[in-house]
Amino acid sequence: MSVLVVVECDKGEVKKSSLEVASYGAQVAQMLGTTATAVAVGEASEANLASLGEQGISKVLYDAEPRLKDFVNGAYTKLIAAAAEQEQAKVIVLANSNIGAAVGSRLAIRLKASLATNVVELPQVNGGSFTVKRGAFSGKAFADVVLSGERKIIAVKKNSIEAQHNAGQSAPVQAFSASLADADFADAPKQVIMQDQAGGVLLPEADRVVSGGRGMKGPENWHLIEDLAQALGAATACSKPVSDVDWRPHHEHVGQTGITVSPNLYIACGISGAIQHLAGVNSSKVIVVINKDPEAPFFKAADYGIVGDVFDVLPKLTQAVKELG
């Protein structure tokens, strides 16, 4: 009875959030006296999958079906369910990502499993049940949830578990087939567009994010955000009003109605800090706010604040980062 870990890959690389999930799953397996097997989804290279042994994974299952390169809900669900059946996995661990959120609910129905999302700590094992701590109310509170089903699915919040690295450890990669049919790809998107942010970093996976609001005054000034992001190796983001007026694309909008991020560093430039925006970023470990209005609500949520004009502060901050780098 193994623990099954769902590992998301992009362009041959294992996503950072999946490294964290792999470490989480390996620790759960150790608690249960069993092993952790990974099933990979997305475009993966064998070398990167094998390196999951550093996170404590004992073996990796990989279906090389070309249509699995891009996310297809039905196909991914069937693939993971088939892997769970083969491995007799009673615990399935995945990232609390867009893919994890979509697949997790389907898996719970298909496998008749208990499901907890946004989990931030390792479970407490009580006989046949798990008690897990999860974030609630946009990160304003925590809830202890009991998973009592025979099968349990845990979606782990990004940056809540530190990825382990046992250098030199390698996991065997085994070919796996879920015998997928054309019907399993019926909900495949007609076109998939993946857009990297500044520095080649996807926003949901970014450890650092530089975000701009209406205080940037127009799209012609966005190079200041991009320059700092490039210096930091960060992704770029924006507030909802900015995407609403098409200064920036909607896939950069963070907030309650946009993307929720939880990076190690979030720098807000010219953003007032409306509650809807805060709901999407308040899980960030460190928040830095730059605003010329000392009464901006965002300063109340900030770890560090700079009262000043973004057009004066950003070039100096970018230069300082370059000199340190």
Side-chain angles (χ1 to χ4, degrees):
M1 183 183 72
S2 68
V3 173
L4 184 69
V5 176
V6 181
V7 172
E8 299 176 26
C9 304
D10 181 52
K11 298 178 182 176
E13 299 284 339
V14 177
K15 294 181 179 179
K16 178 181 177 294
S17 56
S18 287
L19 294 178
E20 296 167 2
V21 164
S23 293
Y24 185 102
Q27 291 178 72
V28 172
Q30 189 174 26
M31 293 166 63
L32 298 175
T34 184
T35 57
T37 297
V39 57
V41 295
E43 184 180 10
S45 72
E46 185 168 339
N48 276 285
L49 293 179
S51 69
L52 286 166
E54 296 184 0
Q55 281 73 52
I57 297 299
S58 61
K59 69 177 177 180
V60 183
L61 306 178
Y62 182 54
D63 190 331
E65 158 66 58
R67 289 175 292 180
L68 290 170
K69 173 184 174 183
D70 299 313
F71 172 55
V72 183
N73 201 340
Y76 275 32
T77 301
K78 184 174 180 179
L79 170 70
I80 298 164
E85 294 292 352
Q86 175 181 293
E87 298 301 311
Q88 300 181 36
K90 299 300 183 184
V91 180
I92 300 171
V93 183
L94 37 70
N96 196 71
S97 60
N98 290 336
I99 291 176
V103 170
S105 55
R106 279 196 175 197
L107 277 174
I109 294 171
R110 182 184 285 257
L111 300 177
K112 296 181 174 59
S114 301
L115 168 66
T117 60
N118 218 30
V119 174
V120 298
E121 289 183 359
L122 289 167
Q124 296 178 10
V125 180
N126 308 299
S129 66
F130 282 8
T131 300
V132 294
K133 184 177 182 179
R134 64 179 301 272
F137 301 109
S138 300
K140 296 182 179 66
F142 295 100
D144 289 331
V145 178
V146 176
L147 302 179
S148 56
E150 183 182 3
R151 275 196 165 121
K152 302 164 183 65
I153 300 173
I154 301 174
V156 182
K157 182 181 177 183
K158 183 178 179 291
N159 274 337
S160 59
I161 299 293
E162 187 173 350
Q164 298 176 334
H165 293 281
N166 299 312
Q169 297 296 315
S170 180
V173 179
Q174 297 182 3
F176 175 73
S177 175
S179 302
L180 300 172
D182 290 344
D184 298 315
F185 293 89
D187 56 351
K190 295 277 190 285
Q191 183 181 22
V192 177
I193 302 173
M194 296 296 290
Q195 293 174 287
D196 287 356
Q197 313 298 314
V201 183
L202 288 172
L203 181 55
E205 292 293 313
D207 277 333
R208 301 164 188 162
V209 176
V210 181
S211 187
R214 285 179 295 185
M216 296 305 298
K217 296 186 178 178
E220 67 278 3
N221 297 317
W222 221 259
H223 65 93
L224 296 172
I225 299 288
E226 292 169 337
D227 289 346
L228 179 57
Q230 186 173 15
L232 287 169
T236 58
C238 68
S239 61
K240 185 175 186 298
V242 167
S243 63
D244 283 347
V245 295
D246 293 326
W247 290 1
R248 298 300 297 171
H250 285 275
H251 68 260
E252 288 192 11
H253 160 214
V254 296
Q256 190 171 37
T257 56
I259 294 174
T260 299
V261 295
S262 53
N264 289 322
L265 175 65
Y266 184 83
I267 302 177
C269 310
I271 302 175
S272 62
I275 191 169
Q276 292 87 351
H277 186 82
L278 285 171
V281 306
N282 61 8
S283 293
S284 305
K285 289 191 176 179
V286 176
I287 296 176
V288 178
V289 173
I290 306 170
N291 202 300
K292 66 181 180 181
D293 178 9
E295 301 300 321
F298 219 151
F299 281 119
K300 295 179 181 178
D303 296 287
Y304 300 95
I306 301 174
V307 179
D309 192 321
V310 289
F311 299 106
D312 293 330
V313 174
L314 283 177
K316 295 176 182 177
L317 185 57
T318 301
Q319 183 59 36
V321 170
K322 289 180 178 178
E323 290 174 358
L324 285 171

